[in-house]
Amino acid sequence: MTQTGSDMNKRTMDLSKSSDTFPCPVCSETLKSPKILPCLHSFCEQCIHEFILSTARKKDIAIKDFNCPVCRTVVKQKDAEAKLDQWAKSLQDNVIINTVLTMDHGNKALECQTCKRYNQTFEAKSWCKQCYEAFCEKCISMHNRMTLLMTHDVVPIEDVGRKTGGLDLRAVSEYCGMHPLKMVDVFCFQHKTACCGLCAGINHRKCDNVKSIEEIVHSSGMYKTLLEKLNDILRESTTTLLQAKQQEKANIKVMAENTEEDAANFIQGIRSKLDICFETFKKQLTVFHDEQNTRLNIRIRLLEQLIQSIEHWAKVTEVVQTSGSITQFFFLHVETVKKQIENSTTELEQICGSDIDIYLSFKKNETLQKVESVDQIGSLSIEEREKDTNQMGDVFKICSNFEICIQRFEGIRIEHLRTMHFPGSKLTCGVCIADKFILLGDASTNPNILHLVDITTGLTINKTKITGSVKRLYFDKDLSRIFISCYTKKLFSADLKGETIAHINRVSFNTDFVGALCRFDKHIYIIVDDSVKKFFPSDPPMEMTRGFPTNTNSRGLNGMTISKEKIFYTTIEKEIKCSSLNGRNIFTYKSDKIRNPVSIVMLSLNVLIILDKKGALYALSNDGKKQATLLEKFEKVVDPWDMWISTDDNTVYIAGGEYIDVFKIKFD
């Protein structure tokens, strides 16, 4: 197909702008001898060389890897024997950017790389995306005739880098580091490692959860919606937080200006005698403003950097989705993006997680109204109020959709919100239903009663009798169905129709004592006697499958929760056990303080909350290494039976007797 002069001019204009789109993140100049890292960030060879040397000098030890200067992704040196000053040279060349820049500089024609190897010079007309080489008309004709090469994607040389944004996808290797001839086709969830089938058979044969990349791609919708989540969800949430910080900065400025104006009005009548004091006050105000400005600039900068990274990741994802292989897009790139998001949000949380609102005003010095000679006109009245919501909360929730868990533990505490009273009742359990209702089990009568309570007013709006001694409740939001375990050998299910509990049915296949229950993936997990079993919550529910043995006792009270393919449950030995989904023990925690744990819940921030039947509340890190005492005595509840959390994951309900104490989880 012939090209018109206007078409050629248009392409030349596009390429003339290309150098401006490829700046080095270190020196901000157009990339020179561009090198690309596995995270798909590109740098000048000299810039990344100096960065590596600087990293080695700071650590003052022999290093085996370094962090990307932009996203902090760890880059490992492939050749362990290579000298430090050769690391940058051995990094992957960004052929795409190098090709575009070569064409861009003075409209210099790119030479056919095949001919060049034979000391011949011909202008390149085409580019093969698979071979990563430029070809002249004669060579591309021969290339396209070969059976193994005829399916390659060949484009005009002017289109190189136009849709890829300068990304050289060869930096994301599809081959195993241990076995270079083997493709990476397996992922171990336990070690968070991708490898070939040979590595899986040697190094991961005892791991619980090893799946092929193809199986993961087809079974998880998250990989298919990554671009949408980056563009529409995470970037939107982060942008909202950035705007809030910018508005906060503007508010601080306005309050500072108003405060200064108040002070100026106060001293108008005695300005001649108070100039010195007024200047001192203005300096104090300026220092405060500068400090707050610096504080907010740090937060704004981090948020702007995160948005830039998100835009980069979204762009990379789009390129990988359209130009990369299945392994590159659906798995290796996804894991890299998840790690980058985790690093960035963790840094953000450390800075923005616990913040304050500033309320600034001018406080008059009463003495000034009586005495002419004073050494200051007043002081800044600074009132710090804790924010009602965690501004990073939305970002954390979105990260959890990416299977990224940001753990917080230090500074955890609780604040009492209210107490709900149900006279004459004997509350044994409860569960939140969406953000509207609480369902309570009441053993004060025979048969027992299920109370449907308005979560805002605390008033009972519906009562339903049940022929069983209610022990634990679980609400399945996907089915809008409630599962009810009892102290007898009974397990019930009930549908929620608007504000009515309807169709309470006994699950017929259960003939054993059951206890706590919760859902993970497609199954309901439940404590049955001295084991954990599971069943599929179909209509009617399918029979329980074999589980794994535990030292539990479902005739009494117990607790269980599942997070990130780990089951946490209480035992008859007063322990907190953590195991894999197939029963492999991960850790066992026991403390002299926690005398009788009967209920546990896991927060989205990966902190386990433990209810002690003796009347105390504790926090435990998800690795079982850190414990904190949250409360040693409840406001009204004296004999706690159960605990559950709200849908927003920061409100805890404790039930026992006639009362429910409601607490808010906070982090300093």
Side-chain angles (χ1 to χ4, degrees):
M1 181 181 294
T2 60
Q3 296 176 330
T4 65
S6 61
D7 290 337
M8 290 299 294
N9 289 337
K10 183 178 179 180
R11 289 191 173 184
T12 301
M13 289 175 64
D14 288 339
L15 287 173
S16 68
K17 299 176 182 178
S18 61
S19 61
D20 296 333
T21 63
F22 299 133
C24 172
V26 175
C27 67
S28 300
E29 301 291 336
T30 300
L31 287 165
K32 301 178 183 64
S33 300
K35 295 289 185 177
I36 189 166
L37 305 184
C39 57
L40 301 182
H41 284 112
S42 295
F43 304 88
C44 300
E45 180 179 333
Q46 183 62 29
C47 290
I48 197 65
H49 171 68
E50 293 176 358
F51 178 80
I52 293 172
L53 295 181
S54 174
T55 300
R57 286 194 294 268
K58 288 180 181 179
K59 293 187 177 182
D60 199 26
I61 56 174
I63 60 173
K64 297 182 179 180
D65 52 47
F66 65 94
N67 298 100
C68 169
V70 175
C71 65
R72 310 305 297 167
T73 297
V74 176
V75 180
K76 295 183 178 180
Q77 174 59 21
K78 295 181 179 180
D79 184 2
E81 303 299 326
K83 294 182 179 179
L84 188 66
D85 58 4
Q86 295 298 312
W87 281 20
K89 189 178 185 66
S90 66
L91 291 172
Q92 175 77 46
D93 291 319
N94 191 324
V95 177
I96 296 293
I97 291 181
N98 201 35
T99 300
V100 174
L101 293 178
T102 299
M103 292 187 295
D104 190 33
H105 289 163
N107 294 323
K108 178 182 178 181
L110 188 68
E111 297 178 357
C112 173
Q113 289 162 291
T114 302
C115 294
K116 191 174 183 179
R117 284 194 284 268
Y118 292 92
N119 298 320
Q120 298 179 5
T121 303
F122 288 94
E123 182 180 354
K125 298 293 185 180
S126 302
W127 175 269
C128 177
K129 292 184 178 180
Q130 282 70 42
C131 297
Y132 270 79
E133 283 200 355
F135 296 93
C136 64
E137 292 180 345
K138 180 179 179 181
C139 290
I140 198 62
S141 177
M142 297 183 63
H143 171 281
N144 293 340
R145 292 179 183 179
M146 300 182 67
T147 303
L148 295 177
L149 305 178
M150 61 188 303
T151 59
H152 285 193
D153 190 4
V154 177
V155 298
I157 195 67
E158 295 89 353
D159 288 347
V160 175
R162 176 171 296 180
K163 295 182 179 180
T164 65
L167 297 175
D168 189 339
L169 298 183
R170 293 184 306 164
V172 182
S173 177
E174 297 183 82
Y175 291 90
C176 177
M178 295 296 296
H179 306 95
L181 299 180
K182 296 286 186 180
M183 295 285 289
V184 172
D185 56 4
V186 175
F187 184 75
C188 173
F189 284 89
Q190 182 175 337
H191 293 94
K192 299 293 182 183
T193 301
C195 61
C196 67
L198 185 58
C199 285
I202 297 174
N203 301 324
H204 304 281
R205 63 182 184 278
K206 295 183 179 180
C207 295
D208 296 326
N209 196 354
V210 179
K211 295 181 180 179
S212 70
I213 292 177
E214 184 177 359
E215 178 185 359
I216 297 170
V217 168
H218 285 90
S219 62
S220 175
M222 190 271 289
Y223 298 95
K224 298 178 182 179
T225 60
L226 176 62
L227 182 61
E228 178 184 351
K229 289 179 178 178
L230 283 172
N231 279 328
D232 300 336
I233 302 177
L234 186 56
R235 179 164 54 186
E236 179 181 348
S237 178
T238 310
T239 301
T240 299
L241 184 55
L242 171 62
Q243 292 171 346
K245 289 301 172 187
Q246 290 174 330
Q247 183 60 50
E248 185 179 347
K249 177 182 176 181
N251 292 342
I252 290 291
K253 183 175 184 293
V254 170
M255 286 189 290
E257 292 173 348
N258 291 340
T259 302
E260 181 177 343
E261 183 179 356
D262 290 344
N265 292 336
F266 176 67
I267 66 165
Q268 283 181 358
I270 52 173
R271 181 179 298 275
S272 61
K273 296 184 179 180
L274 298 178
D275 281 344
I276 296 177
C277 294
F278 182 51
E279 290 300 322
T280 301
F281 176 85
K282 288 175 62 177
K283 289 179 181 179
Q284 180 187 5
L285 182 64
T286 300
V287 169
F288 167 77
H289 182 207
D290 290 343
E291 290 175 349
Q292 297 303 317
N293 199 51
T294 300
R295 176 178 69 86
L296 291 169
N297 279 338
I298 292 173
R299 288 152 173 76
I300 290 171
R301 177 177 55 81
L302 289 175
L303 290 167
E304 289 174 338
Q305 289 176 349
L306 178 55
I307 290 177
Q308 291 174 0
S309 295
I310 291 171
E311 292 173 348
H312 166 76
W313 299 327
K315 187 175 183 181
V316 169
T317 300
E318 187 175 5
V319 171
V320 177
Q321 184 177 1
T322 57
S323 305
S325 68
I326 293 177
T327 301
Q328 289 173 323
F329 173 68
F330 287 113
F331 186 73
L332 298 179
H333 169 64
V334 169
E335 292 301 314
T336 299
V337 171
K338 287 164 55 179
K339 186 62 179 176
Q340 294 176 17
I341 296 173
E342 180 179 356
N343 291 340
S344 298
T345 51
T346 298
E347 185 179 6
L348 266 175
E349 191 280 330
Q350 293 174 352
I351 300 298
C352 302
S354 180
D355 221 334
I356 57 173
D357 279 327
I358 301 295
Y359 290 84
L360 194 66
S361 61
F362 175 68
K363 185 177 181 180
K364 298 179 181 179
N365 188 321
E366 296 179 355
T367 308
L368 272 178
Q369 302 177 34
K370 300 178 180 179
V371 183
E372 293 186 0
S373 178
V374 294
D375 57 357
Q376 63 177 11
I377 65 168
S379 61
L380 285 173
S381 177
I382 303 171
E383 181 181 357
E384 297 182 352
R385 300 179 186 176
E386 186 174 348
K387 294 183 180 296
D388 293 333
T389 59
N390 182 355
Q391 293 184 309
M392 289 295 294
D394 290 340
V395 177
F396 286 153
K397 289 181 180 179
I398 295 169
C399 286
S400 66
N401 292 333
F402 286 90
E403 298 177 4
I404 298 171
C405 193
I406 310 299
Q407 178 174 326
R408 295 184 67 189
F409 191 82
E410 303 301 333
I412 185 172
R413 60 184 178 86
I414 63 171
E415 175 185 301
H416 181 258
L417 296 181
R418 60 173 173 160
T419 295
M420 304 167 69
H421 187 203
F422 300 86
S425 63
K426 184 180 179 181
L427 303 177
T428 58
C429 54
V431 66
C432 285
I433 298 179
D435 57 354
K436 296 181 179 179
F437 309 114
I438 302 173
L439 185 64
L440 302 175
D442 181 1
S444 63
T445 62
N446 189 9
N448 284 187
I449 299 175
L450 296 177
H451 296 261
L452 190 63
V453 178
D454 185 291
I455 203 168
T456 302
T457 64
L459 299 177
T460 299
I461 58 177
N462 183 275
K463 292 184 179 182
T464 304
K465 293 182 179 180
I466 180 170
T467 59
S469 182
V470 181
K471 182 194 295 184
R472 288 289 185 257
L473 300 171
Y474 170 71
F475 175 67
D476 190 303
K477 62 180 180 180
D478 293 335
L479 298 175
S480 193
R481 180 167 297 167
I482 303 151
F483 291 90
I484 309 159
S485 66
C486 298
Y487 283 94
T488 54
K489 295 181 179 181
K490 292 181 180 180
L491 177 63
F492 294 93
S493 68
D495 292 331
L496 183 66
K497 304 294 185 182
E499 297 183 356
T500 304
I501 301 170
H503 308 300
I504 299 180
N505 300 310
R506 182 171 179 179
V507 180
S508 59
F509 61 74
N510 176 68
T511 58
D512 299 303
F513 287 98
V514 292
L517 64 168
C518 59
R519 180 169 178 168
F520 182 78
D521 199 10
K522 298 179 180 179
H523 290 88
I524 301 290
Y525 287 75
I526 185 169
I527 293 179
V528 181
D529 286 334
D530 56 354
S531 64
V532 172
K533 296 185 178 182
K534 64 181 180 179
F535 63 88
F536 187 76
S538 56
D539 194 6
M542 296 177 64
E543 186 173 355
M544 288 189 188
T545 62
R546 286 187 177 182
F548 58 87
T550 62
N551 55 337
T552 56
N553 180 359
S554 56
R555 299 190 183 194
L557 286 175
N558 46 57
M560 180 177 67
T561 186
I562 301 178
S563 174
K564 306 300 180 184
E565 299 187 347
K566 296 178 182 178
I567 300 180
F568 299 81
Y569 58 91
T570 62
T571 74
I572 58 176
E573 301 297 333
K574 315 305 180 187
E575 305 162 325
I576 305 295
K577 274 188 174 292
C578 173
S579 71
S580 63
L581 294 178
N582 65 1
R584 181 183 60 83
N585 186 62
I586 298 176
F587 71 80
T588 299
Y589 180 82
K590 188 172 184 179
S591 170
D592 293 337
K593 287 187 176 181
I594 305 176
R595 300 179 182 179
N596 189 8
V598 292
S599 183
I600 56 177
V601 294
M602 179 66 76
L603 304 181
S604 60
L605 293 179
N606 239 16
V607 175
L608 192 68
I609 306 298
I610 304 168
L611 173 64
D612 194 322
K613 193 71 169 64
K614 300 296 182 181
L617 204 62
Y618 301 93
L620 183 69
S621 59
N622 75 320
D623 56 6
K625 296 181 179 180
K626 298 179 181 179
Q627 177 196 314
T629 301
L630 299 179
L631 192 66
E632 295 182 348
K633 184 180 179 181
F634 299 115
E635 296 290 326
K636 289 291 185 179
V637 175
V638 294
D639 187 19
W641 287 69
D642 193 17
M643 168 182 62
W644 63 96
I645 57 176
S646 61
T647 54
D648 63 6
D649 197 38
N650 69 350
T651 305
V652 175
Y653 296 81
I654 312 291
E658 297 182 347
Y659 295 94
I660 295 177
D661 279 331
V662 186
F663 300 91
K664 185 176 182 180
I665 301 292
K666 293 190 173 184
F667 292 86
D668 290 330

